[in-house]
Amino acid sequence: MAAAIVTAKLDRMDVHMLAGKAILALLLFRLVWGLIGSQTARFNDFVKGPRAVLAYAAGLLRPGKGRPVLGHNPMGGLMVLVLLAVLMAQAISGLFTSDDILVDGPLVPLATSATVKGLSTLHRLVADGILVLIGVHVAAVLVYLVVKKENLIRPMITGRKTVPTGADVAAPKRTPTAVAVAVLAAAAGVVAAVVQAG
């Protein structure tokens, strides 16, 4: 995302488009991984209804700690869905975006001029929304670190989370790394095929 944002600002559209393709491949990977990946990465592990999200939010205001959550808590799960949806809208709209001068997304020739105009506008507008979402996400992680004394950064990097001693939490089931590599390769292949279709 940083590469996509910076290269767009610097008008390095060749690198921007490469970053966009990488983002789209990673998004496709994450969607599939949300279905077949390790337990804590699966959508059915962390996507909860509005009541669960509100109950979790209310619980944040009460002193003491609730039962530890190995993966995303209900609010974090909601943020994952929002980020995935917004990033997917951004990546897909980028395929159909044109500046009407020099740069066209790879699928512009397949769309009507009205569609290209609408998706180009969406692509520019959503970029600012992504920056806001990134800020909210980083702020939430920092609040957890400083206020709740819960490090969410380490588990994002290592995939392992420390839980309090004696906590009644079972180790999550893991999907082999080879499956992740295969899914990522397939996602990159799908993106390459779609781009070539243009």
Side-chain angles (χ1 to χ4, degrees):
M1 278 309 304
I5 292 166
V6 169
T7 55
K9 301 287 185 201
L10 296 175
D11 205 25
R12 288 292 315 271
M13 297 313 288
D14 53 336
V15 181
H16 179 76
M17 292 173 100
L18 185 61
K21 292 171 196 171
I23 290 167
L24 188 53
L26 289 170
L27 286 167
L28 290 176
F29 164 79
R30 184 61 184 96
L31 291 175
V32 173
W33 199 244
L35 300 173
I36 68 167
S38 297
Q39 179 183 335
T40 55
R42 291 188 184 197
F43 296 123
N44 65 5
D45 186 70
F46 63 82
V47 174
K48 308 295 181 195
R51 265 190 229 160
V53 173
L54 292 173
Y56 183 83
L60 289 174
L61 303 175
R62 284 185 242 120
K65 293 194 177 214
R67 185 168 193 249
V69 178
L70 286 184
H72 295 89
N73 62 53
M75 288 179 66
L78 179 61
M79 181 57 116
V80 168
L81 293 181
V82 170
L83 282 169
L84 286 174
V86 171
L87 289 171
M88 190 62 82
Q90 183 71 349
I92 290 172
S93 66
L95 295 171
F96 296 93
T97 296
S98 175
D99 67 0
D100 293 324
I101 302 169
L102 295 172
V103 181
D104 284 345
L107 300 186
V108 165
L110 303 177
T112 66
S113 60
T115 300
V116 169
K117 184 176 180 182
L119 291 175
S120 296
T121 300
L122 176 70
H123 193 72
R124 284 188 288 280
L125 293 175
V126 169
D128 292 334
I130 289 171
L131 292 174
V132 170
L133 289 173
I134 289 170
V136 169
H137 189 65
V138 169
V141 168
L142 291 175
V143 166
Y144 267 80
L145 184 63
V146 174
V147 176
K148 292 188 61 113
K149 308 291 187 232
E150 187 175 339
N151 186 341
L152 300 178
I153 301 166
R154 186 181 331 110
M156 283 187 239
I157 296 167
T158 66
R160 299 187 185 281
K161 187 173 186 181
T162 304
V163 295
T165 306
D168 183 25
V169 179
K173 296 179 181 121
R174 297 183 177 275
T175 302
T177 304
V179 175
V181 172
V183 171
L184 183 57
V190 167
V191 171
V194 167
V195 168
Q196 286 300 320

